[in-house]
Each structure stands twice: as structure tokens, then as C-alpha cells.
Amino acid sequence: MRIDLSATSWGRVALVTVAGTAFFIAAAFFVDSFNFPSLSPDALLWAKLTDLFLPLVLGGSFLFFLMWKMRQLAIAQKELSIVAATDSLTAVFNRGAFSMLVEAYLDQARSHVVADAGALLIVDADHFKSINDRLGHDCGDQALKLIARTIQGQLHGADIVGRIGGEEFAVFLPGADATRSFLVAETIRLRIREAEFAPGGQSYPLSVSIGGIAFSGPTTYHDMFKVADRHLYKAKSNGRDQVSFESPRGVRSDDVAGTFH
């Protein structure tokens, strides 16, 4: 069984405390050992007990307190990093954290550490302004939370989602091919269409338009975003509540969608 020695674990606290205390005791015995030959039996016993218990009590207590405080600091830093990377309303990644994670994956892909393939989807809520105007901003926030949860419910493994604008989300599917990517996009669209959104007991339909691109080979987040955004505009122009998608070989969404019929 592997012991957790991360900065936030009790394993590190225990290991450093025990190892450090043992070092203090060994150092005390080593320094005092030069005096041992000249001591009487009683004095020798007393010296050894002092060399054992003084570092054990003082050194052990100090190390434990120090590592406990360092663990608390590490936990606080981890919590702050999570807060800094999370959209406060929808609890998904914010724009900066999302783009950073995608760029990190693409860097690894260029080094052949991970699969040099995947997809980027941009999901935009249709007619969102009318929700805010007719139902109020509180209901608009509820709609965004529902959309975010619905998107998360369709993702698996290393897939990530971030809120990149007011009513705009992005999804990254590392390692996914064009077929799976389009299927995920279409499933997201359908699930949001089917989602029960009834603020105040009155049902209100939700829908999203999705633009996407699957990649195979070196690319950048900026380049993918431009293509996906162009397809999002196409989905909006064609009537909304639909997916417009591009594969690595330039095959459009209609061609990919044909694989599901």
C-alpha cells in the first residue's frame, strides 16, 4: 500500500516527525558519546536517558507542531487554488483555469506524453437575455447552474468543462475522436433540451447551440477556439438548438452525424 506523503497528508507529518526526532536523538548520543568513558555507571545511565528523552520530548514536539502548521498552510493554499480556478456561480472551471488546463494537455500531446487528439466544444445558451429579462437574474443564475450540471453529467474521465463567458461554456474532450466528440455534443444539447427548468413552478424551455472541432495532430487552444467559435456562430445562424462540428479532415457535423443513424 502506497503511503500518501503529499504536503496536505498526515503521512508527511508523521514521517518528518519520526525521522527528525530520531536524527536529534542520534546527534545527542554522538556528541555525548565522547564523555561516556569518563562517567560513572549512574552518571552514564543519566546521560543516556537525557540524550534519549530530551530530544524526544523537545525535538519531537517542535517537529510535530512545525509540520502540523505546514500541513494547515498547504491545505489553505490548495483550497485557495481551487477557489481561484473555479467559477463561483456554476462551480466549474473559470475561463483562465480551463484554458490553462487545455494548453497543458496540448503541450503534453506535442511531446507525445498523451494522445495527440481530442475535441473542443463551445456551448452557448440560446436566448439567454430573454430569461433574465422575463424571469429575472436570479432565475438566469439557476438556468446557468442547471446547464453546467447537465454538461458535467455527460462527461467522463479526464473531460473538463469551464465557464468562459456570461452564458457560454467550453468542454474539452482529451483523446476523443470525431465520432465520440459529436455524440457528446449532441447528447449535451438533447439533455439540456430535456432538462426540467421551472422557476416559480412555471416551466421554461432551455436550449443551447454548440460549435465544436475535433483535432488530430499539433494545434493550439487559440486555433481550436477560433474554429469552434465559427461553428457556434453557424449553429446560431441556422436556427439555434443544434450542433455544428468539424473533424480533423474537414468533415462537417452532418457527415459525422450520419454515423449515428
Side-chain angles (χ1 to χ4, degrees):
M1 183 179 66
R2 185 177 180 180
I3 300 176
D4 182 10
L5 296 178
S6 64
T8 59
S9 71
W10 281 108
R12 175 177 290 195
V13 175
L15 178 63
V16 173
T17 300
V18 171
T21 302
F23 173 79
F24 290 155
I25 293 173
F29 269 91
F30 175 76
V31 172
D32 215 13
S33 63
F34 297 100
N35 299 320
F36 287 168
S38 62
L39 298 178
S40 65
D42 290 342
L44 178 61
L45 177 61
W46 177 253
K48 289 182 177 181
L49 290 175
T50 301
D51 292 341
L52 173 63
F53 287 105
L54 191 62
L56 183 64
V57 175
L58 297 181
S61 299
F62 170 76
L63 283 174
F64 178 80
F65 179 78
L66 177 64
M67 293 306 299
W68 174 58
K69 283 296 184 182
M70 290 180 66
R71 177 178 177 271
Q72 287 184 318
L73 179 60
I75 291 173
Q77 289 177 330
K78 183 176 181 180
E79 291 175 346
L80 284 174
S81 66
I82 293 173
V83 171
T86 304
D87 176 62
S88 59
L89 177 65
T90 59
V92 299
F93 288 115
N94 58 32
R95 186 186 187 102
F98 179 84
S99 61
M100 182 180 67
L101 288 171
V102 175
E103 287 286 12
Y105 181 90
L106 296 177
D107 286 342
Q108 289 185 313
R110 282 188 284 271
S111 302
H112 306 291
V113 176
V114 294
D116 198 1
L120 177 69
L121 311 175
I122 301 178
V123 184
D124 190 82
D126 295 328
H127 304 294
F128 189 75
K129 186 177 183 299
S130 67
I131 296 177
N132 284 330
D133 292 343
R134 292 178 57 185
L135 304 177
H137 288 277
D138 286 344
C139 290
D141 289 348
Q142 292 178 35
L144 290 176
K145 291 178 182 179
L146 177 58
I147 291 172
R149 288 197 304 270
T150 304
I151 293 173
Q152 287 179 303
Q154 313 314 312
L155 305 184
H156 304 282
D159 301 344
I160 60 172
V161 55
R163 185 184 177 196
I164 59 173
E167 65 271 13
E168 197 169 73
F169 298 85
V171 176
F172 184 61
L173 308 171
D177 60 18
T179 300
R180 176 180 175 256
S181 303
F182 182 84
L183 178 60
V184 170
E186 186 65 15
T187 303
I188 289 172
R189 184 190 70 82
L190 291 173
R191 293 294 177 267
I192 291 174
R193 187 71 178 173
E194 297 166 354
E196 182 66 28
F197 180 59
Q202 181 179 0
S203 181
Y204 193 94
L206 295 177
S207 69
V208 295
S209 300
I210 302 176
I213 176 175
F215 70 93
S216 178
T219 187
T220 66
Y221 175 71
H222 177 71
D223 290 342
M224 285 195 301
F225 192 91
K226 285 197 302 183
V227 176
D229 193 52
R230 186 172 70 243
H231 278 278
L232 175 64
Y233 180 79
K234 180 179 177 182
K236 293 281 190 182
S237 300
N238 288 342
R240 294 182 170 84
D241 190 22
Q242 59 185 269
V243 176
S244 180
F245 191 83
E246 184 168 316
S247 80
R249 293 178 298 279
V251 179
R252 296 304 193 263
S253 57
D254 289 343
D255 301 314
V256 181
T259 63
F260 302 109
H261 296 315

